[in-house]
Amino acid sequence: MCEKPQKERARVLVMPKYTLQYVCGHSDEEDHPKARIDKIREKAAESLCPSCWTDQQNQIANEVSWLLPPLEGTEKQVTWAQRLRAKAMIKILNAKAAYGHDETMSLVLNDFHQDAIKQSLAMWWINNRNTRLMDLVSDYHSTRQSYYQFVIENRFQREVDALVKEAQESNRDPFDISAEQGLLGAIMVKNDAYYVASFLEPEHFIEDLHQRIFEVVRALITLGKVAMPITLNTFLGDQDLGGITVSRYLARLAAEAVGITQVRQPALTIYALAKYRSQMEAQES
Ligand SMILES: [Zn+2]
C-alpha cells in the first residue's frame, strides 16, 4: 500500500538532465524521464527550441494581426493575446470552411467572426484561451437563438414561396422523385446531411418507401446512431419492390447520392412541392 508513493518520489528525484538538440541549431538542457527520452529527442530534432518557437509564434501573430485592430492591455498582455487571437482567427476560418453546408452555423460563425475581430481587450483573449472555439460559438448562438431562428425561417420562407409559385406557373409535376432519392442517398452517405433537411417531415415525401426511409433515418440519427443502407435494411424489411429489393434500392440511392453541399436544394424542393400539393388538394375540395 505505502510502496507506491515512495516509488514515484524516487523516480522524480532521479529524473536526469538531458541535452536536447533542436532543428534550429540551438540546444537546451532539460529534465526528462529516462523512459521517454528517445521519443523526446526525436521530437526535438524536428522542432524549434522553446525560444525560437516563441519568436516564430509572435511573427505569425504579427502577420495575422496587422489587419486586426490593436489590442489594449499591458505590453506583456498584448503580445500574448496577439498570439492567442491569431490562433483563434485561424480556427474560426477553418470552422467557417467546415460548416459551409450548414446555413445556421454559417450565419452564426460569420457574426461571431465579426464580433471577435472587434474584441480588442487583451484580457478577453487571455481569459478565454482554454475555452474550445465551438463552445464559445455555441454560447454565442444560444444567447441569440430567437434571432437566428427568425432569420433562417424568413430566408427559407421566401425561397419556398418562390418554388411553389414556379411550380404553379410551370405546370410541372407536383412531386420530384429524383430530389427525394438524391436527398435520402446523401443522408445515408453522410449522416450530417440530415441536419440540413431536418425541417422535413416524412409526409413531405411522395413515395411511401421514401417516407419510411426518412422516418427510420431520422429516428436513428436523432438517437445518435449511424444510418447506413445496412442498418436501415433491418428496419425496413427486404421485400421485393417489383424488380428490385429494398436492399438493392438503398444501395442504389447511396451510390447516386448528391454531395452534402447540394442537399439544401432538394430539401427545399421536397418541402415546397408538398406545400403545393396540399394547396391543390384544398382547391379541389
Ligand atoms: Zn532555437
Side-chain angles (χ1 to χ4, degrees):
M1 274 288 279
C2 45
E3 231 175 66
K4 211 182 164 199
Q6 267 179 357
K7 245 187 184 171
E8 263 173 17
R9 189 186 300 160
R11 200 164 63 206
V12 172
L13 285 174
V14 297
M15 193 149 79
K17 279 203 180 300
Y18 290 100
T19 305
L20 296 181
Q21 191 64 47
Y22 289 95
V23 72
C24 50
H26 297 129
S27 57
D28 201 9
E29 197 156 277
E30 291 170 27
D31 296 331
H32 284 294
K34 193 174 181 209
R36 286 197 289 133
I37 190 60
D38 286 344
K39 276 246 147 65
I40 292 165
R41 279 214 167 107
E42 224 171 86
K43 212 173 164 223
E46 301 169 346
S47 322
L48 297 172
C49 74
S51 116
C52 286
W53 184 83
T54 306
D55 288 349
Q56 187 209 40
Q57 294 299 305
N58 286 339
Q59 201 191 327
I60 293 172
N62 279 335
E63 277 163 23
V64 175
S65 298
W66 79 270
L67 286 166
L68 298 170
L71 290 170
E72 297 155 34
T74 66
E75 203 187 320
K76 225 174 172 177
Q77 287 169 349
V78 166
T79 311
W80 189 13
Q82 255 176 10
R83 267 165 53 184
L84 297 169
R85 181 173 67 170
K87 267 192 204 163
M89 288 297 165
I90 290 162
K91 278 190 196 157
I92 293 172
L93 291 175
N94 286 337
K96 278 169 101 168
Y99 285 93
H101 63 275
D102 186 324
E103 197 161 9
T104 312
M105 201 48 119
S106 297
L107 269 179
V108 176
L109 279 166
N110 253 328
D111 293 348
F112 180 81
H113 190 192
Q114 294 310 313
D115 278 11
I117 287 171
K118 288 181 216 143
Q119 186 51 258
S120 62
L121 287 179
M123 273 318 287
W124 187 87
W125 293 98
I126 292 167
N127 288 336
N128 283 302
R129 71 188 182 281
N130 292 323
T131 316
R132 280 181 57 240
L133 173 73
M134 290 320 284
D135 288 344
L136 287 176
V137 171
S138 111
D139 280 354
Y140 187 87
H141 179 210
S142 47
T143 54
R144 296 164 181 78
Q145 191 142 24
S146 51
Y147 164 74
Y148 286 115
Q149 189 77 20
F150 175 78
V151 174
I152 289 288
E153 274 174 8
N154 267 298
R155 281 191 174 193
F156 175 91
Q157 209 47 58
R158 231 173 298 144
E159 279 174 90
V160 168
D161 290 346
L163 284 168
V164 171
K165 195 165 170 236
E166 190 188 298
Q168 286 165 340
E169 286 168 358
S170 69
N171 236 347
R172 63 171 288 173
D173 287 334
F175 51 84
D176 189 336
I177 300 289
S178 65
E180 296 186 2
Q181 290 172 327
L183 175 71
L184 293 171
I187 296 174
M188 280 190 278
V189 171
K190 205 161 186 349
N191 285 182
D192 267 2
Y194 165 76
Y195 292 101
V196 183
S198 58
F199 55 87
L200 288 175
E201 295 292 333
E203 54 268 29
H204 290 141
F205 292 80
I206 186 115
E207 271 287 328
D208 287 350
L209 179 62
H210 293 169
Q211 294 186 0
R212 278 162 57 216
I213 295 173
F214 189 75
E215 211 169 349
V216 175
V217 159
R218 178 168 72 175
L220 287 171
I221 294 173
T222 49
L223 284 171
K225 298 205 161 46
V226 179
M228 294 185 300
I230 287 180
T231 47
L232 285 174
N233 231 339
T234 50
F235 292 97
L236 294 166
D238 201 10
Q239 78 266 39
D240 198 332
L241 301 168
I244 188 166
T245 57
V246 171
S247 60
R248 292 281 302 273
Y249 188 68
L250 292 173
R252 210 190 79 193
L253 290 186
E256 291 169 5
V258 298
I260 189 167
T261 54
Q262 292 152 271
V263 167
R264 189 175 180 276
Q265 205 50 46
L268 284 185
T269 301
I270 293 164
Y271 183 89
L273 290 175
K275 194 175 169 186
Y276 179 42
R277 288 197 299 273
S278 63
Q279 281 178 2
M280 293 199 322
E281 273 166 34
Q283 277 167 9
E284 275 164 27
S285 62

